[in-house]
Amino acid sequence: MLYPPRLTRLVTDHPDALAALFCGILVLLSWSALQCNWLGLALLLLPAAYVIGGFASAREGLTTLLQEKELDVDLLMIVAALGAAVLGLWRREYYLIVDGAVLILIFAISGALEGYAMQRTERSIRSLMSLTTDAARVVVDGQEQLIPVAELQVGDRLRVKPGELIPTDAVIVEGETALNEAAITGESLPVEKTIGDEVFAGTLNGYGALLLKVHQPPESSLLQRIIRVVEQAQTEKPKSQQFIERFERGYARVVVLVGVLLAILPPFVWQWSWEATIYRALIFLVVASPCALVAAIMPTLLSGIANGARQGILFKSGAQLELIGKVRAIAFDKTGTLTTGNPQIYTVIPGKGYTEADVLELAAALEMHSEHPIGQAICQYATQARTTTPLALTSIQAQPGRGITGLKGNIPVCVGKATFVRASVQTVPPDLMFMTEHLEQAGKTVVWVAEADEVLGLIAIADTIRPEATAAIAHLKRMGIEAIIMLTGDNQQTANSVAQSIGIDRVYAELLPEEKLEIIQQLQQQYKTVAMVGDGINDAPALAQATVGIAMGAAGSDVALETADIVLMTDRLEKIATAIHLGQRSQIVVKQNLGFALSFILLLITANFIGNITLPLGVIGHEGSTVLVILSGLRLLRG
């Protein structure tokens, strides 16, 4: 039989709600039948209510029992409901069977409400996936044709019209526009793009028609990597949740044991009737179940993850959201983190007997093999100057944190820090030493260029401090961060100049990547929870070692997404304070939820033996507290 699509969709999208609805109708009808003394009809309808409302819980509970050899709350609820039904048949008090059905009904309603509450978080996360488009307009021999994005190949040329989504990561080969990158970075202001610039899948094209060239497979696009990271964060459980689940398994055994004792001992100790004893034991099984405790953590953390994703803060797991709220010390890389990472050539100073072109020509020939921002700045400046000719160099070797060497014919050449280059030359011109000290005191980075055993000259580079750096550091101090440290491979004078201008007191300069890692280890011994903020490439060892590694402005960086625990999809330093605040809020909400859940369980247990609450009232209290805890966790979706 074929069903209308709308009905099929209703059943598929809302199975828990429909089960609760039909269960409720059957319970109401059976109660009405009892009121009219139609016992046969009531006893016919009640088993159907039990099956429809309790099937999902019974299946879940039995699966856990048989496969994992563990008891869970679903099974406890079903046992309590069946116990009430057996007790009702035994005593011929058929309203007890209705009580059991009401227990199952409220449990089913609670499950449906919990599902809808969790869907709010999942919708926020799935909204990332809605940014993708299914098809792309490929230009072949001047003709446009639509093909699925999954079938795109590296080298394909795509046409994107104004107002359309970018289908996959690509490079602009024709046209210019302003892209809305809010989906990736959380920033609403459009970003100007022109020929040669990279554009990302899921961003919205502005006013210009674009011709793009695909430079990597669609599955490797930044948006797809973000989606995979967020999906992974949903499945990975933080330590607090793992502890609660271990606690739940032991706690469920204790509840069952105590329930059995309560069903046996009271008639002998307090002369209770067997009917009252079993009824109280069944209520105990319900109200003592740790549903609210189990729901106190993950909904909160998933809400925080979804909130962060909307603001361009990508948490790789709930554990990192927990940890960032506990950070006591933060270490910052300098270049690309506290500074813009786009260094510019300040001046070129040739040595005696050499020209500016000689210095730039050799430096650019070596640095073209480097991915370091300083090397890129030198190459760009040399190209713009147009006073150099390409040199053929061999045996190029980069020394991370020091410089780069090679051979010009059989003559050794090198570019790098003063200490690195001085080890390769016989004499150092005093005037160049004086200029180096003067420039470094002024906050410039100085690169030496040498050929054979002579220094050809110096290149002074200036990196602009981020305009928001001072305010961001001050904000972190006001939040109670105990130590803020700068780690850099740059020289001490430049590092001190930058640190002083933005309010950082502790500086470690002239560090190699492995030395940054050692500093992080020392900080962890002192402060326990330490965050490292870097660009995700040169700082990968320190990012991996830190309690929380934060990649700054890492759009498009594979290393950042793989190494860091948190990725800030913009270059805005204030997002670090936002992430910490979100982590702190999550911890407050989790503690509130745990406190509320424990208090309510104790209150219901006490009321069961002192206040003589009924089974339905116990269920309402138990399930109501669980729903309240989940809704409390969803508060983190706001703001």
Side-chain angles (χ1 to χ4, degrees), residues 136-148:
R137 191 179 292 104
V138 180
V139 179
V140 181
D141 298 329
Q143 301 295 317
E144 296 179 3
Q145 60 185 56
L146 286 176
I147 69 169

Side-chain angles (χ1 to χ4, degrees), residues 478-547:
R478 289 195 301 271
M479 292 180 72
I481 303 300
E482 298 177 31
I484 300 177
I485 304 102
M486 178 195 290
L487 308 180
T488 180
D490 214 337
N491 65 79
Q492 191 71 53
Q493 290 94 329
T494 301
N496 287 340
S497 174
V498 172
Q500 185 177 2
S501 65
I502 61 177
I504 292 181
D505 302 321
R506 294 172 62 179
V507 178
Y508 296 88
E510 301 180 22
L511 298 175
L512 300 176
E514 57 268 25
E515 291 173 329
K516 289 184 180 181
L517 184 148
E518 292 171 1
I519 298 294
I520 294 293
Q521 291 174 332
Q522 294 172 15
L523 292 171
Q524 286 174 322
Q525 292 176 1
Q526 183 177 0
Y527 297 102
K528 305 301 181 186
T529 310
V530 177
M532 171 68 192
V533 187
D535 62 11
I537 300 173
N538 296 326
D539 302 304
L543 286 171
Q545 174 62 39
T547 313

Side-chain angles (χ1 to χ4, degrees), residues 236-239 301 305 317-324 548:
E236 288 188 0
K237 296 175 181 176
K239 290 182 179 179
L301 298 183
I305 290 171
S317 73
Q320 308 312 325
L321 180 59
E322 279 189 327
L323 288 171
I324 192 67
V548 182

Side-chain angles (χ1 to χ4, degrees), residues 226 229-234 301 303-309 312-325 548 550 564-568 575-576 578-583:
I226 291 173
V229 168
V230 175
E231 287 176 336
Q232 179 184 357
Q234 288 184 279
L301 298 183
S303 297
I305 290 171
N307 188 333
I313 304 169
L314 190 60
F315 295 95
K316 294 182 75 170
S317 73
Q320 308 312 325
L321 180 59
E322 279 189 327
L323 288 171
I324 192 67
V548 182
I550 304 174
D565 303 303
I566 300 173
V567 180
L568 306 184
K575 292 291 186 181
I576 298 171
T578 303
I580 293 173
H581 178 65
L582 201 54

Side-chain angles (χ1 to χ4, degrees), residues 423-443:
S424 305
V425 299
Q426 291 184 350
T427 59
V428 178
D431 57 332
L432 293 183
M433 280 296 299
F434 174 78
M435 289 303 302
T436 297
E437 294 174 2
H438 175 73
L439 289 166
E440 288 179 347
Q441 287 173 0

Side-chain angles (χ1 to χ4, degrees), residues 72-364:
D72 70 359
V73 293
D74 295 283
L75 194 58
L76 291 181
M77 295 300 104
I78 296 302
V79 168
L82 292 176
V86 171
L87 187 61
L89 290 171
W90 176 24
R91 296 176 57 179
R92 295 188 179 182
E93 295 180 4
Y94 300 109
Y95 288 103
L96 288 177
I97 307 177
V98 177
D99 284 353
V102 171
L103 187 158
I104 287 178
L105 171 61
I106 297 175
F107 200 57
I109 293 173
S110 172
L113 290 176
E114 290 173 25
Y116 285 129
M118 289 305 299
Q119 283 174 15
R120 287 193 59 193
T121 300
E122 291 170 2
R123 277 198 301 269
S124 294
I125 293 174
R126 286 202 306 267
S127 64
L128 284 170
M129 301 178 193
S130 69
L131 299 169
T132 58
T133 181
D134 295 328
R137 191 179 292 104
V138 180
V139 179
V140 181
D141 298 329
Q143 301 295 317
E144 296 179 3
Q145 60 185 56
L146 286 176
I147 69 169
V149 171
E151 297 179 9
L152 291 175
Q153 303 291 325
V154 174
D156 283 348
R157 292 180 175 250
L158 314 178
R159 181 77 66 188
V160 179
K161 297 180 180 179
E164 293 184 337
L165 287 174
I166 303 297
T168 188
D169 290 9
V171 176
I172 298 177
V173 295
E174 183 181 302
E176 59 182 29
T177 189
L179 282 187
N180 183 339
E181 296 186 336
I184 302 296
T185 65
E187 294 300 309
S188 58
L189 291 177
V191 179
E192 294 293 331
K193 298 282 185 176
T194 187
I195 295 173
D197 290 337
E198 186 177 12
V199 296
F200 301 111
T203 56
L204 185 64
N205 187 21
Y207 57 80
L210 300 176
L211 183 64
L212 309 177
K213 182 178 180 181
V214 179
H215 67 299
Q216 62 180 2
E219 63 271 16
S220 299
S221 71
L222 177 62
L223 183 62
Q224 291 300 324
R225 296 201 305 272
I226 291 173
I227 291 172
R228 287 196 293 270
V229 168
V230 175
E231 287 176 336
Q232 179 184 357
Q234 288 184 279
T235 58
E236 288 188 0
K237 296 175 181 176
K239 290 182 179 179
S240 58
Q241 182 67 20
Q242 293 172 9
F243 169 77
I244 286 293
E245 292 182 359
R246 288 195 303 270
F247 172 79
E248 178 203 2
R249 290 192 286 269
Y251 180 86
R253 297 191 191 100
V254 172
V255 167
V256 171
L257 177 60
V258 173
V260 171
L261 293 176
L262 289 174
I264 296 174
L265 295 181
F268 302 104
V269 178
W270 298 296
Q271 284 73 52
W272 288 11
S273 68
W274 283 105
E275 293 86 350
T277 297
I278 294 173
Y279 192 60
R280 291 293 144 208
L282 293 175
I283 296 175
F284 172 80
L285 287 179
V286 173
V287 300
S289 297
C291 294
L293 275 177
V294 175
I297 297 175
M298 281 308 292
T300 302
L301 298 183
L302 288 176
S303 297
I305 290 171
N307 188 333
R310 287 205 310 268
Q311 300 187 65
I313 304 169
L314 190 60
F315 295 95
K316 294 182 75 170
S317 73
Q320 308 312 325
L321 180 59
E322 279 189 327
L323 288 171
I324 192 67
K326 301 175 182 177
V327 162
R328 296 172 56 196
I330 302 179
F332 286 89
D333 173 51
K334 180 179 74 69
T335 305
T337 303
L338 295 171
T339 62
T340 60
N342 297 312
Q344 304 293 325
I345 302 302
Y346 178 72
T347 186
V348 179
I349 303 174
K352 189 175 182 179
Y354 297 99
T355 65
E356 180 177 318
D358 294 332
V359 178
L360 282 174
E361 184 178 59
L362 182 56

